[in-house]
Amino acid sequence: MLLHLGYTPLEGVSVEPKTLNLMSGGQTVRVALRLPAAYDPRDVVLSSVSVEGRLFADPSSVSFADVNGAGVNQMSLKFDRAAFEALFPEGDSVLVTVTGEIRDRTWFRGAETIRAIRPPHGIGALHADEG
């Protein structure tokens, strides 16, 4: 049995959309994680990846890609949008924290700041297909 103490910081976290329209009715939020080079994103325990320790990723949505051509894969996961929105208040600076486990190695943590907006009544419905 291994005991993990502390967290390894992620090299990067990207939340899409960057501006969360709380009235848009979108289906998912995508979160991309870049682990430190010493770790393989395929070793992440998918069932452990969560936002705020309360909302867990859909493990069937995982994908891996070298998005910047640096030879390092990042991992992308999707989260249920309604549940994601329920975690965050409206604001220009909303910190989204993502945690998870790299199997038998360590836990990781990373964060990104996004905006969460609630447009005046009726405007969100006009842009339901956006962010």
Side-chain angles (χ1 to χ4, degrees):
M1 180 170 143
L2 295 174
L3 177 64
H4 302 301
L5 298 175
Y7 286 91
T8 297
L10 290 171
E11 294 288 321
V13 175
S14 177
V15 178
E16 292 294 332
K18 299 273 185 236
T19 299
L20 191 62
N21 178 343
L22 299 174
M23 302 295 289
S24 77
Q27 298 299 305
T28 60
V29 172
R30 186 181 72 81
V31 176
L33 309 174
R34 193 163 24 99
L35 299 170
Y39 302 107
D40 184 344
R42 288 175 175 79
D43 291 335
V44 169
V45 178
L46 297 178
S47 63
S48 74
V49 180
S50 71
V51 170
E52 304 303 314
R54 300 186 328 207
L55 176 62
F56 291 85
D58 172 3
S60 69
S61 70
V62 70
S63 64
F64 302 94
D66 177 7
V67 296
N68 60 5
V72 177
N73 280 332
Q74 75 176 21
M75 179 173 76
S76 253
L77 290 157
K78 292 182 181 177
F79 293 82
D80 177 84
R81 177 131 178 180
F84 189 96
E85 290 175 356
L87 294 175
F88 299 102
E90 185 177 338
D92 285 337
S93 185
V94 177
L95 186 65
V96 176
T97 302
V98 181
T99 58
E101 179 187 9
I102 302 169
R103 186 176 326 285
D104 299 329
R105 303 279 308 271
T106 188
W107 285 86
F108 61 80
R109 178 185 297 165
E112 182 178 51
T113 301
I114 64 169
R115 292 178 62 212
I117 62 168
R118 188 175 312 278
H121 183 68
I123 293 177
L126 297 175
H127 302 288
D129 59 338
E130 295 179 11

Coordinates of all heavy atoms in Angstrom, one line a residue, residues 2-58:
L2 N 0.6 2.2 -0.9 CA 1.3 3.4 -1.0 C 0.5 4.5 -0.3 O -0.7 4.6 -0.4 CB 1.6 3.8 -2.4 CG 2.4 2.9 -3.2 CD1 2.5 3.3 -4.7 CD2 3.8 2.8 -2.6
L3 N 1.3 5.4 0.3 CA 0.7 6.6 0.9 C 1.2 7.8 0.2 O 2.3 8.1 0.1 CB 1.1 6.7 2.4 CG 0.6 7.9 3.2 CD1 -0.9 7.9 3.3 CD2 1.2 7.9 4.6
H4 N 0.2 8.6 -0.4 CA 0.6 9.8 -1.1 C 0.4 11.0 -0.2 O -0.6 11.2 0.5 CB -0.4 10.1 -2.3 CG -0.4 8.9 -3.3 ND1 0.7 8.5 -4.0 CD2 -1.5 8.2 -3.7 CE1 0.3 7.5 -4.8 NE2 -1.0 7.3 -4.6
L5 N 1.5 11.8 0.0 CA 1.5 13.0 0.8 C 1.6 14.2 -0.1 O 2.5 14.3 -0.9 CB 2.6 13.0 1.8 CG 2.6 11.8 2.8 CD1 3.9 11.8 3.7 CD2 1.4 11.9 3.7
G6 N 0.7 15.1 0.0 CA 0.8 16.3 -0.7 C 0.3 16.2 -2.2 O -0.2 15.1 -2.6
Y7 N 0.5 17.2 -3.0 CA 0.1 17.2 -4.4 C 1.2 17.6 -5.2 O 2.0 18.5 -4.9 CB -1.1 18.2 -4.6 CG -2.4 17.7 -4.0 CD1 -2.8 18.0 -2.7 CD2 -3.3 17.0 -4.8 CE1 -4.0 17.6 -2.3 CE2 -4.5 16.6 -4.4 CZ -4.9 16.9 -3.1 OH -6.1 16.5 -2.6
T8 N 1.3 17.1 -6.4 CA 2.2 17.5 -7.4 C 1.5 18.6 -8.3 O 0.4 18.3 -8.7 CB 2.6 16.4 -8.4 OG1 3.3 15.4 -7.6 CG2 3.5 16.8 -9.5
P9 N 2.0 19.8 -8.5 CA 1.3 20.8 -9.3 C 1.3 20.4 -10.7 O 2.3 19.9 -11.3 CB 2.1 22.1 -9.0 CG 3.5 21.6 -8.5 CD 3.3 20.3 -7.9
L10 N 0.2 20.6 -11.4 CA 0.1 20.4 -12.8 C 0.9 21.5 -13.5 O 1.0 22.6 -13.1 CB -1.4 20.5 -13.3 CG -2.2 19.3 -12.8 CD1 -3.7 19.6 -13.1 CD2 -1.8 18.0 -13.5
E11 N 1.4 21.2 -14.7 CA 2.0 22.2 -15.6 C 1.0 23.1 -16.2 O 1.4 24.3 -16.5 CB 2.8 21.5 -16.7 CG 4.0 20.6 -16.2 CD 5.1 21.5 -15.7 OE1 5.4 22.5 -16.3 OE2 5.7 21.1 -14.7
G12 N -0.2 22.6 -16.4 CA -1.2 23.5 -16.9 C -2.6 22.9 -16.8 O -2.8 21.7 -16.8
V13 N -3.6 23.8 -16.7 CA -5.0 23.4 -16.7 C -5.7 24.4 -17.6 O -5.4 25.6 -17.6 CB -5.6 23.6 -15.3 CG1 -7.1 23.3 -15.3 CG2 -4.9 22.7 -14.2
S14 N -6.5 23.9 -18.5 CA -7.3 24.7 -19.4 C -8.8 24.3 -19.3 O -9.1 23.1 -19.5 CB -6.8 24.5 -20.8 OG -7.6 25.3 -21.7
V15 N -9.6 25.3 -19.0 CA -11.1 25.0 -18.9 C -11.7 25.7 -20.1 O -11.5 26.9 -20.4 CB -11.7 25.6 -17.6 CG1 -13.2 25.4 -17.5 CG2 -11.0 25.0 -16.4
E16 N -12.6 24.9 -20.8 CA -13.3 25.5 -22.0 C -14.8 25.3 -21.7 O -15.2 24.1 -21.5 CB -12.9 24.8 -23.2 CG -11.5 25.1 -23.7 CD -11.3 26.6 -24.1 OE1 -12.2 27.2 -24.5 OE2 -10.1 27.1 -23.9
P17 N -15.6 26.3 -21.7 CA -15.3 27.6 -22.2 C -14.6 28.4 -21.1 O -14.8 28.2 -19.9 CB -16.7 28.2 -22.5 CG -17.6 27.4 -21.6 CD -17.0 26.1 -21.5
K18 N -13.8 29.4 -21.5 CA -13.2 30.4 -20.5 C -14.2 31.3 -19.8 O -13.9 31.7 -18.7 CB -12.1 31.2 -21.2 CG -11.0 30.4 -21.9 CD -9.9 30.1 -20.9 CE -8.8 29.5 -21.6 NZ -8.5 28.2 -21.0
T19 N -15.2 31.6 -20.6 CA -16.3 32.4 -20.0 C -17.5 31.4 -20.0 O -18.0 31.0 -21.0 CB -16.6 33.6 -20.8 OG1 -15.5 34.5 -20.8 CG2 -17.8 34.4 -20.2
L20 N -18.0 31.1 -18.8 CA -19.1 30.2 -18.6 C -20.4 31.0 -18.5 O -20.6 31.7 -17.6 CB -18.8 29.4 -17.3 CG -19.7 28.2 -17.0 CD1 -19.5 27.1 -18.0 CD2 -19.4 27.7 -15.6
N21 N -21.2 30.9 -19.6 CA -22.4 31.6 -19.6 C -23.4 30.7 -18.9 O -23.8 29.6 -19.4 CB -22.9 31.8 -21.1 CG -24.2 32.4 -21.2 OD1 -25.0 32.4 -20.3 ND2 -24.5 32.9 -22.4
L22 N -23.9 31.1 -17.7 CA -24.7 30.3 -16.9 C -26.1 30.2 -17.4 O -26.9 29.4 -16.9 CB -24.8 30.9 -15.5 CG -23.4 31.0 -14.8 CD1 -23.5 31.7 -13.5 CD2 -22.8 29.6 -14.6
M23 N -26.4 30.8 -18.5 CA -27.7 30.7 -19.2 C -27.7 30.0 -20.5 O -28.7 29.9 -21.2 CB -28.3 32.1 -19.4 CG -28.5 32.9 -18.1 SD -29.6 32.2 -16.9 CE -31.2 32.6 -17.8
S24 N -26.5 29.5 -20.9 CA -26.4 29.0 -22.3 C -27.0 27.6 -22.5 O -27.4 27.3 -23.7 CB -24.9 28.9 -22.7 OG -24.3 27.8 -22.1
G25 N -27.1 26.8 -21.5 CA -27.7 25.5 -21.7 C -26.8 24.5 -22.4 O -27.2 23.4 -22.8
G26 N -25.5 24.7 -22.4 CA -24.5 23.8 -22.9 C -24.5 22.5 -22.2 O -25.0 22.4 -21.1
Q27 N -24.0 21.4 -22.8 CA -24.0 20.1 -22.2 C -22.8 19.7 -21.4 O -22.9 19.0 -20.4 CB -24.1 19.0 -23.3 CG -25.4 19.2 -24.1 CD -26.6 19.0 -23.3 OE1 -26.8 18.0 -22.6 NE2 -27.5 20.0 -23.2
T28 N -21.6 20.2 -21.8 CA -20.4 19.8 -21.1 C -19.4 20.9 -20.9 O -19.5 22.0 -21.7 CB -19.6 18.6 -21.8 OG1 -19.3 19.1 -23.1 CG2 -20.5 17.4 -21.9
V29 N -18.4 20.8 -20.0 CA -17.3 21.7 -19.9 C -16.1 20.8 -20.1 O -16.0 19.7 -19.5 CB -17.3 22.3 -18.5 CG1 -16.0 23.1 -18.3 CG2 -18.5 23.2 -18.3
R30 N -15.1 21.2 -20.9 CA -13.9 20.4 -21.2 C -12.8 21.0 -20.3 O -12.6 22.2 -20.3 CB -13.5 20.5 -22.7 CG -12.4 19.6 -23.0 CD -12.0 19.8 -24.5 NE -11.4 21.0 -24.8 CZ -10.1 21.3 -24.5 NH1 -9.3 20.4 -24.0 NH2 -9.6 22.5 -24.8
V31 N -12.1 20.1 -19.7 CA -10.9 20.5 -18.9 C -9.7 19.7 -19.5 O -9.7 18.4 -19.5 CB -11.1 20.2 -17.4 CG1 -9.8 20.5 -16.6 CG2 -12.3 20.9 -16.9
A32 N -8.7 20.4 -19.8 CA -7.4 19.8 -20.3 C -6.3 19.9 -19.3 O -6.2 21.0 -18.6 CB -7.0 20.5 -21.6
L33 N -5.6 18.9 -19.0 CA -4.6 18.8 -18.0 C -3.2 18.5 -18.6 O -3.1 17.6 -19.4 CB -4.9 17.7 -16.9 CG -6.3 17.8 -16.3 CD1 -6.5 16.6 -15.5 CD2 -6.5 19.0 -15.6
R34 N -2.2 19.3 -18.2 CA -0.9 19.0 -18.6 C -0.1 18.6 -17.4 O 0.2 19.4 -16.5 CB -0.2 20.2 -19.4 CG 1.0 19.8 -20.1 CD 1.4 20.9 -21.1 NE 0.9 22.2 -20.8 CZ 1.6 23.2 -20.3 NH1 2.8 23.0 -19.9 NH2 1.0 24.4 -20.1
L35 N 0.3 17.3 -17.3 CA 1.1 16.8 -16.2 C 2.6 17.2 -16.3 O 3.1 17.5 -17.5 CB 1.0 15.3 -16.1 CG -0.4 14.7 -15.9 CD1 -0.4 13.2 -16.1 CD2 -0.9 15.1 -14.5
P36 N 3.3 17.2 -15.2 CA 4.8 17.4 -15.3 C 5.4 16.3 -16.2 O 4.8 15.2 -16.3 CB 5.3 17.3 -13.9 CG 4.1 17.6 -13.1 CD 2.9 17.2 -13.8
A37 N 6.5 16.6 -16.9 CA 7.0 15.6 -17.9 C 7.4 14.3 -17.3 O 7.4 13.3 -18.0 CB 8.3 16.3 -18.5
A38 N 7.6 14.2 -16.0 CA 7.9 12.9 -15.4 C 6.8 11.9 -15.4 O 6.9 10.7 -15.1 CB 8.4 13.1 -14.0
Y39 N 5.5 12.4 -15.7 CA 4.3 11.6 -15.5 C 3.6 11.4 -16.9 O 3.6 12.3 -17.7 CB 3.4 12.2 -14.5 CG 4.0 12.4 -13.2 CD1 4.3 13.7 -12.7 CD2 4.2 11.3 -12.3 CE1 4.9 13.8 -11.5 CE2 4.8 11.5 -11.1 CZ 5.1 12.7 -10.6 OH 5.7 12.9 -9.4
D40 N 3.1 10.2 -17.0 CA 2.3 9.8 -18.2 C 0.8 10.1 -18.0 O 0.3 9.4 -17.0 CB 2.6 8.4 -18.6 CG 1.9 7.9 -19.9 OD1 1.0 8.7 -20.4 OD2 2.3 6.9 -20.4
P41 N 0.2 10.9 -18.7 CA -1.3 11.1 -18.5 C -2.1 9.9 -18.6 O -3.2 9.8 -18.0 CB -1.7 12.2 -19.5 CG -0.6 12.1 -20.5 CD 0.6 11.6 -19.9
R42 N -1.6 8.8 -19.3 CA -2.4 7.6 -19.3 C -2.3 6.8 -18.0 O -3.1 5.8 -17.9 CB -1.8 6.7 -20.5 CG -2.2 7.3 -21.8 CD -1.6 6.5 -23.0 NE -2.1 7.0 -24.3 CZ -1.7 8.1 -24.9 NH1 -0.8 8.9 -24.3 NH2 -2.2 8.5 -26.0
D43 N -1.5 7.2 -17.1 CA -1.5 6.6 -15.8 C -2.4 7.3 -14.8 O -2.5 6.9 -13.6 CB 0.0 6.6 -15.2 CG 0.9 5.7 -16.0 OD1 0.4 4.8 -16.6 OD2 2.1 6.0 -16.0
V44 N -3.1 8.3 -15.2 CA -4.1 9.0 -14.3 C -5.3 8.0 -14.0 O -5.8 7.4 -14.9 CB -4.6 10.3 -14.9 CG1 -5.8 10.9 -14.2 CG2 -3.4 11.3 -15.0
V45 N -5.7 7.9 -12.8 CA -6.8 7.2 -12.4 C -8.0 8.0 -12.7 O -8.3 9.0 -12.1 CB -6.8 6.8 -10.9 CG1 -8.1 6.1 -10.5 CG2 -5.6 6.1 -10.5
L46 N -8.7 7.7 -13.8 CA -9.8 8.5 -14.4 C -10.9 8.8 -13.4 O -11.4 9.9 -13.3 CB -10.3 7.9 -15.7 CG -9.3 7.8 -16.8 CD1 -10.0 7.2 -18.0 CD2 -8.8 9.2 -17.2
S47 N -11.2 7.8 -12.6 CA -12.3 8.0 -11.6 C -11.9 8.9 -10.5 O -12.8 9.3 -9.7 CB -12.7 6.6 -11.0 OG -11.6 6.0 -10.3
S48 N -10.6 9.3 -10.4 CA -10.2 10.2 -9.3 C -10.2 11.7 -9.7 O -10.1 12.6 -8.9 CB -8.8 9.9 -8.8 OG -7.8 10.3 -9.8
V49 N -10.3 12.0 -11.0 CA -10.2 13.4 -11.5 C -11.5 14.1 -11.2 O -12.6 13.7 -11.6 CB -9.9 13.4 -13.0 CG1 -9.8 14.9 -13.4 CG2 -8.7 12.7 -13.3
S50 N -11.4 15.2 -10.4 CA -12.5 16.0 -10.0 C -12.3 17.5 -10.0 O -11.2 17.9 -10.0 CB -13.0 15.6 -8.6 OG -12.1 16.0 -7.6
V51 N -13.4 18.2 -10.1 CA -13.4 19.6 -9.9 C -13.9 19.9 -8.5 O -15.0 19.4 -8.2 CB -14.3 20.3 -11.0 CG1 -14.5 21.8 -10.7 CG2 -13.7 20.1 -12.4
E52 N -13.1 20.7 -7.8 CA -13.5 21.1 -6.4 C -13.7 19.9 -5.5 O -14.3 20.0 -4.5 CB -14.7 22.0 -6.4 CG -14.6 23.2 -7.3 CD -13.4 24.1 -6.9 OE1 -13.2 24.3 -5.7 OE2 -12.7 24.5 -7.8
G53 N -13.2 18.7 -5.9 CA -13.3 17.5 -5.1 C -14.7 17.0 -5.0 O -15.0 16.0 -4.3
R54 N -15.6 17.5 -5.8 CA -17.1 17.2 -5.7 C -17.7 16.7 -7.0 O -18.7 16.0 -7.0 CB -17.9 18.4 -5.2 CG -17.4 18.7 -3.8 CD -18.2 19.8 -3.1 NE -18.8 20.8 -4.0 CZ -19.2 22.0 -3.7 NH1 -18.9 22.4 -2.5 NH2 -19.7 22.8 -4.6
L55 N -17.1 17.2 -8.1 CA -17.7 16.8 -9.4 C -16.6 16.0 -10.2 O -15.5 16.5 -10.5 CB -18.1 18.0 -10.2 CG -18.6 17.8 -11.7 CD1 -19.9 16.9 -11.6 CD2 -18.8 19.1 -12.4
F56 N -17.0 14.7 -10.5 CA -16.0 13.9 -11.2 C -16.2 13.8 -12.7 O -17.3 14.0 -13.2 CB -16.1 12.5 -10.6 CG -15.6 12.5 -9.1 CD1 -16.4 12.8 -8.1 CD2 -14.3 12.2 -8.9 CE1 -16.0 12.9 -6.8 CE2 -13.8 12.2 -7.6 CZ -14.6 12.6 -6.5
A57 N -15.1 13.7 -13.4 CA -15.1 13.6 -14.8 C -15.8 12.4 -15.4 O -15.9 11.4 -14.7 CB -13.7 13.7 -15.4
D58 N -16.3 12.5 -16.6 CA -16.9 11.4 -17.3 C -15.7 10.6 -17.9 O -15.0 11.1 -18.8 CB -17.8 11.9 -18.5 CG -18.2 10.8 -19.4 OD1 -17.9 9.6 -19.2 OD2 -18.9 11.1 -20.4

